């Protein structure tokens, strides 16, 4: 047995439904577009990396390069602090391998970086050359990184071949973005990106680069490095290189359909 409400009731319900539909459509279309807070957006998308480990070269008894009373360890720490602030203002988390004038062994620096998950590692240095004319900026990456996984692989001959054939393209890519930004920002001579098995590059499991920000042995460059504005420019360039690298990884992940 069917129950009927009668044509009048059905009509009234249909009109009410139509009115509600129209009203909700108007409410949705007339609302101004909502701004999604930047932080909220970033939390929802899984970032290519969660933290930048900043490694100010040398420290304590190890002064690094010297020109009179200008010490590499002081310049690298200053640039590192500036980079830390730049990245913080972009909402990027950072960890420093040293925060003051203290000696930290290379193994400790690498171990600290390896304890972090989803990190990138940036070591900051100032060059010294055998020729006083040597000048410019260069960024290093390790062609082979001895991650804990590849150390295990070295016991297993069938895995060894694979690990040896996998140069760290991400480190090379990060080095490229930082070098490009440095040259654009400072107009220093472009010495390019180079592969070198520096301890802190070869023994860090994350994308890792070492930036040589200029030559203390070159009078002009030493003068520039002593200028706080120039050091700020270097920090800005490294920060911008890191962000561009992150953009590139995001784009890559979008093409691959996400990494989830
Ligand atoms: Zn150094």
């Amino acid at each position: 047995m069917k129950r009927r409400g009668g044509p009048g009731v059905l009509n009234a319900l249909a009109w009410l439904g139509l009115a509600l539909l129209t009203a909700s459509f108007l409410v949705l279309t007339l609302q101004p577009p909502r701004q999604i807070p930047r932080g909220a957006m970033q939390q929802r998308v899984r970032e290519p990396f969660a933290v930048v480990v900043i490694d100010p070269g040398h420290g304590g008894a190890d002064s690094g390069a010297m020109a009179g009373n200008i010490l590499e360890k002081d310049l690298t720490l200053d640039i590192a602090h500036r980079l830390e602030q730049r990245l913080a203002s972009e909402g990027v988390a950072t960890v420093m391998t040293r925060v003051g004038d203290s000696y930290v062994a290379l193994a400790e620096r690498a171990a600290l970086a390896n304890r972090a998950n989803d990190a990138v590692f940036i070591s900051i240095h100032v060059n010294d050359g055998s020729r006083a004319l040597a000048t410019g900026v260069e960024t290093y990456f390790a062609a082979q990184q001895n991650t804990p996984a590849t150390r295990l692989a070295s016991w297993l001959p069938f895995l060894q071949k694979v690990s040896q054939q996998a140069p760290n393209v991400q480190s090379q890519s990060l080095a490229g973005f930082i070098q490009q930004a440095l040259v654009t920002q400072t107009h220093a001579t472009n010495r390019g990106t180079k592969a070198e098995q520096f301890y802190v590059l070869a023994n860090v499991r994350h994308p890792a680069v070492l930036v040589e920000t200029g030559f203390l042995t070159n009078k002009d460059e030493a003068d520039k490095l002593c200028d706080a504005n120039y050091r700020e420019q270097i920090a800005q360039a490294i920060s911008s290189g890191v962000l561009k690298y992150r953009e590139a990884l995001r784009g890559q992940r979008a093409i691959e359909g996400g990494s989830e």
Side-chain angles (χ1 to χ4, degrees):
M1 189 172 168
K2 285 183 195 169
R3 295 176 61 185
R4 288 186 190 174
V9 177
L10 281 179
N11 267 344
L13 281 175
W15 280 111
L16 182 66
L18 189 65
L20 280 172
L21 204 67
T22 312
S24 58
F25 174 75
L26 284 174
V27 166
L28 282 174
T29 47
L30 294 180
Q31 261 185 351
R34 261 183 297 165
Q35 292 279 328
I36 298 164
R38 237 172 130 199
M41 189 79 170
Q42 283 168 346
Q43 275 164 16
R44 235 174 293 147
V45 182
R46 194 170 164 269
E47 290 291 7
F49 52 86
V51 64
V52 176
V53 179
I54 305 173
D55 177 45
H58 312 278
D62 171 17
S63 300
M66 284 186 273
N69 57 358
I70 312 164
L71 307 177
E72 178 182 356
K73 65 172 183 175
D74 297 332
L75 298 174
T76 60
L77 185 62
D78 179 88
I79 294 168
H81 278 307
R82 290 171 192 276
L83 174 60
E84 186 185 27
Q85 279 173 11
R86 288 264 169 191
L87 288 171
S89 73
E90 296 286 343
V92 180
T94 55
V95 173
M96 299 268 278
T97 57
R98 69 176 172 102
V99 290
D101 182 20
S102 55
Y103 176 80
V104 182
L106 295 178
E108 263 182 82
R109 294 170 197 248
L112 188 144
N114 287 337
R115 278 197 294 276
N117 285 321
D118 293 338
V120 297
F121 179 86
I122 298 170
S123 191
I124 297 167
H125 286 256
V126 179
N127 238 328
D128 57 354
S130 49
R131 295 177 306 120
L133 287 177
T135 178
V137 290
E138 55 198 17
T139 308
Y140 288 89
F141 60 95
Q144 300 292 325
Q145 286 180 239
N146 306 320
T147 63
T150 57
R151 239 176 268 142
L152 175 69
S154 68
W155 298 341
L156 305 165
F158 63 94
L159 282 177
Q160 197 171 18
K161 204 176 171 205
V162 177
S163 72
Q164 280 177 352
Q165 282 171 348
N168 199 316
V169 281
Q170 290 197 344
S171 294
Q172 188 169 6
S173 165
L174 176 60
F177 281 111
I178 289 177
Q179 179 68 14
Q180 182 61 52
L182 272 170
V183 171
T184 307
Q185 183 79 34
T186 65
H187 306 292
T189 301
N190 186 358
R191 300 174 68 89
T193 59
K194 298 170 181 180
E196 183 73 55
Q197 294 300 103
F198 287 126
Y199 185 93
V200 285
L201 300 185
N203 292 285
V204 164
R205 66 188 175 103
H206 308 291
V209 299
L210 186 147
V211 186
E212 289 284 4
T213 56
F215 283 80
L216 265 191
T217 36
N218 181 294
K219 176 78 174 75
D220 287 347
E221 219 151 60
D223 286 347
K224 279 188 196 169
L225 285 162
C226 287
D227 176 3
N229 287 327
Y230 189 75
R231 294 196 300 272
E232 188 64 39
Q233 281 182 35
I234 289 173
Q236 190 184 337
I238 298 173
S239 166
S240 130
V242 169
L243 296 177
K244 281 184 180 147
Y245 167 76
R246 188 174 70 175
E247 278 308 307
L249 279 185
R250 279 177 183 163
Q252 203 178 312
R253 286 180 178 201
I255 290 165
E256 287 164 359
S259 65
E260 303 305 307

